[in-house]
Amino acid sequence: MEQKKVRPFQGKTLAILTGGGDTPALNASIEAIRDRASVLGFKVYGIRKGWKGLLGDGDIVDLTGQPYDGWYGGTALRSSRTNPLPTKKNPEDRVPQILRNIDRYKIDVLVTIGGDDTNGAAKKIYEMHGVPVIGFPKTIDNDLRTGTIHEYNGEQSEAVLCPGFESAAKGLMEYTLRLDTTAESHSRILVLEIMGRDAGWLTGSAVFGGAELALVPEVVMTKEKQLEFFEKVKESYKNSKKQSLIIAVSEGVRWYDDKTDKIDVVYASSEVDEYGHARFGGISGVIASEISKQTKIEARGQITGYYARAGECRKYDKRLVSSLADKIADILLREKYGRMPVLKKIVDFQELYEFNTTTIDMGSIGNFPLPKDYYDDNNFQFTEKYIDFLSYMLDKPRQAEFLYDFPKVVVK
Ligand code: F6P
């Protein structure tokens, strides 16, 4: 019988880049993709500093057979917010330089690990110039549409799960837990500001560390809504046995300012990046000082900032990126470019297998904010549905309790 010839991948080169804000799961993703591609016979390159590494003479390293630590957070390839396409900030079309380098370095397949910006640009280059690209999701904000189904109370609805989110959420849970003692000691309200840009997904992780109230960007804090919120703060503080309260607020909360009579986010800088994004930061201080003014309870703001993005990759994320990288192997074998692997449904650690993943079109990812039924805007709290969602990744929320109840000395 004639032996069927299998077309070998030998001689092919795959290059990986990471773009946008880093996450603790980027090195894990690079390592997992590199390993799968190596098994298929690819030589694997790393492009340094996102799209920037494909400009000029190129900045490319060889990852084939190199030792790599996927547990170590961030990206060893470095990242940037360089946009290959012409924008207002940078009208130059950089695509010709990129195509030239793809040719010079003989890159056959490009894997872009990023959010909507990075993967959206890659898809355009694929469509316009036929460069074989594969996307790989990442963001601590968890706002990149992955079409992942969350089954809750027998019903299915669309949620999101992006690599990087679980590690950031776990870190923030631990961070919030730690803050409890200082909030208690001073009988204070702590307003904890959490990254996430225009989405509140990550803010809910503080609830798992003891935050009792929360504000998210999806609910606009009008003048009226603020009054309801201050009432709720007073009530929660009064009912707290500990005489302290932690409130988690998203960096992108839209807040009414009575000095300007406008509703806006608080900007950390007036600069925008090459994708047109401004930097948020500082809302926690504004809200804390308003709380102090309105409730007469001492309140302080605390920006968690880059803490969420920092540190090691956590267990769930590590296994998630491995499963998604298995799907990359599948895409490579089928040569189905322009696609990105995603998790089909929200599953727990044990269920993170390739058969629970699928692929979606990289060009139609877009942003996906926190769904309405994950947050109760009457009580300024995350709902049981959100708690269920995050419980697949984190331990159940900690119940706030105060350990000391000393008998009061009464003068006779
Ligand atoms: O998109 C990820 C993110 O960490 C956001 O949560 C945050 O608003 C932004 O990046 C910060 O960006 P930069 O690293 O440019 O300060």
Side-chain angles (χ1 to χ4, degrees):
M1 204 173 71
E2 203 195 322
Q3 195 98 53
K4 201 174 161 210
K5 276 210 175 137
V6 179
R7 191 158 66 94
F9 273 107
Q10 258 173 16
K12 287 207 169 188
T13 302
L14 176 143
I16 306 171
L17 68 79
T18 49
D22 76 325
T23 84
L26 284 180
N27 277 328
S29 307
I30 297 165
E31 185 190 31
I33 297 165
R34 190 274 310 258
D35 290 351
R36 303 310 183 277
S38 299
V39 168
L40 295 179
F42 279 85
K43 182 189 273 186
V44 184
Y45 289 165
I47 299 165
R48 283 167 38 92
K49 301 184 184 143
W51 291 109
K52 203 183 232 171
L54 282 172
L55 304 183
D57 286 339
D59 189 358
I60 316 262
V61 291
D62 192 352
L63 301 178
T64 324
Q66 294 299 313
Y68 208 102
D69 182 2
W71 290 105
Y72 187 81
T75 165
L77 293 179
R78 313 286 164 123
S79 189
S80 73
R81 293 192 192 274
T82 302
N83 191 341
L85 306 169
T87 59
K88 211 164 145 194
K89 187 160 177 173
N90 173 61
E92 182 199 357
D93 185 0
R94 292 157 167 166
V95 176
Q97 290 182 62
I98 289 172
L99 295 177
R100 198 176 66 92
N101 277 320
I102 287 178
D103 210 39
R104 277 181 66 221
Y105 286 93
K106 300 189 172 35
I107 296 168
D108 297 296
V109 182
L110 177 64
V111 178
T112 52
I113 307 177
D116 193 24
D117 296 332
T118 307
N119 289 321
K123 181 70 196 286
K124 286 214 176 96
I125 294 175
Y126 168 63
E127 280 166 356
M128 292 190 304
H129 305 283
V131 175
V133 299
I134 300 172
F136 199 84
K138 72 90 220 178
T139 168
I140 61 158
D141 303 344
N142 205 45
D143 61 347
L144 182 66
R145 186 184 275 268
T146 55
T148 308
I149 297 301
H150 176 203
E151 200 170 314
Y152 178 67
N153 277 348
E155 278 179 20
Q156 297 194 337
S157 59
E158 187 179 350
V160 180
L161 191 53
C162 291
F165 171 69
E166 180 262 346
S167 302
K170 197 155 192 181
L172 284 170
M173 177 188 83
E174 291 161 1
Y175 187 107
T176 314
L177 272 171
R178 250 185 110 84
L179 281 181
D180 223 19
T181 54
T182 176
E184 275 173 17
S185 302
H186 293 268
S187 308
R188 267 180 193 155
I189 294 176
L190 282 185
V191 181
L192 212 59
E193 178 173 330
I194 293 176
M195 276 191 174
R197 200 112 45 198
D198 296 309
W201 288 100
L202 191 58
T203 302
S205 58
V207 174
F208 282 61
E212 286 174 50
L213 299 179
L215 296 179
V216 295
E218 288 82 356
V219 174
V220 178
M221 292 305 287
T222 59
K223 199 173 178 175
E224 297 71 36
K225 206 80 198 133
Q226 284 183 4
L227 294 176
E228 282 175 41
F229 172 63
F230 295 134
E231 279 312 305
K232 189 76 194 166
V233 171
K234 259 196 269 180
E235 184 193 310
S236 306
Y237 184 86
K238 210 176 92 215
N239 294 339
S240 151
K241 269 211 309 207
K242 309 187 304 169
Q243 286 285 284
S244 65
L245 186 66
I246 298 183
I247 304 173
V249 302
S250 303
E251 61 172 2
V253 165
R254 273 106 183 117
W255 184 258
Y256 170 76
D257 177 0
D258 59 1
K259 280 190 217 90
T260 58
D261 196 29
K262 284 201 179 108
I263 295 173
D264 205 353
V265 292
V266 175
Y267 295 95
S269 146
S270 52
E271 282 267 301
V272 289
D273 66 20
E274 289 190 5
Y275 290 91
H277 305 300
R279 231 166 357 101
F280 301 161
I283 186 74
S284 52
V286 174
I287 296 178
S289 97
E290 274 300 301
I291 288 176
S292 298
K293 211 161 95 193
Q294 302 285 338
T295 66
K296 309 284 177 257
I297 307 164
E298 195 180 25
R300 294 277 200 276
Q302 167 83 27
I303 302 179
T304 60
Y306 296 101
Y307 182 88
R309 277 171 29 181
E312 76 277 16
C313 181
R314 306 300 181 113
K315 210 172 80 174
Y316 188 97
D317 258 343
K318 188 78 163 55
R319 194 166 157 121
L320 171 64
V321 299
S322 286
S323 317
L324 296 178
D326 286 341
K327 200 59 160 193
I328 294 267
D330 190 56
I331 297 174
L332 285 171
L333 286 168
R334 292 168 200 266
E335 301 188 7
K336 284 256 178 223
Y337 303 116
R339 304 200 60 86
M340 177 174 91
V342 290
L343 197 59
K344 258 197 261 182
K345 56 177 184 172
I346 304 292
V347 292
D348 60 24
F349 180 75
Q350 313 297 338
E351 293 290 307
L352 287 168
Y353 283 118
E354 198 236 321
F355 62 75
N356 273 327
T357 67
T358 183
T359 66
I360 60 170
D361 187 317
M362 279 167 77
S364 51
I365 312 168
N367 289 114
F368 193 87
L370 188 74
K372 277 198 164 46
D373 54 357
Y374 281 51
Y375 178 78
D376 169 5
D377 68 332
N378 291 318
N379 288 302
F380 305 102
Q381 278 167 340
F382 281 81
T383 60
E384 281 305 317
K385 187 168 178 182
Y386 176 89
I387 303 293
D388 180 78
F389 158 80
L390 200 55
S391 297
Y392 281 92
M393 292 149 247
L394 305 189
D395 295 335
K396 287 272 180 215
R398 196 191 78 132
Q399 286 306 311
E401 54 172 335
F402 189 59
L403 294 177
Y404 302 105
D405 192 12
F406 303 122
K408 201 172 163 77
V409 178
V410 182
V411 180
K412 298 231 172 79

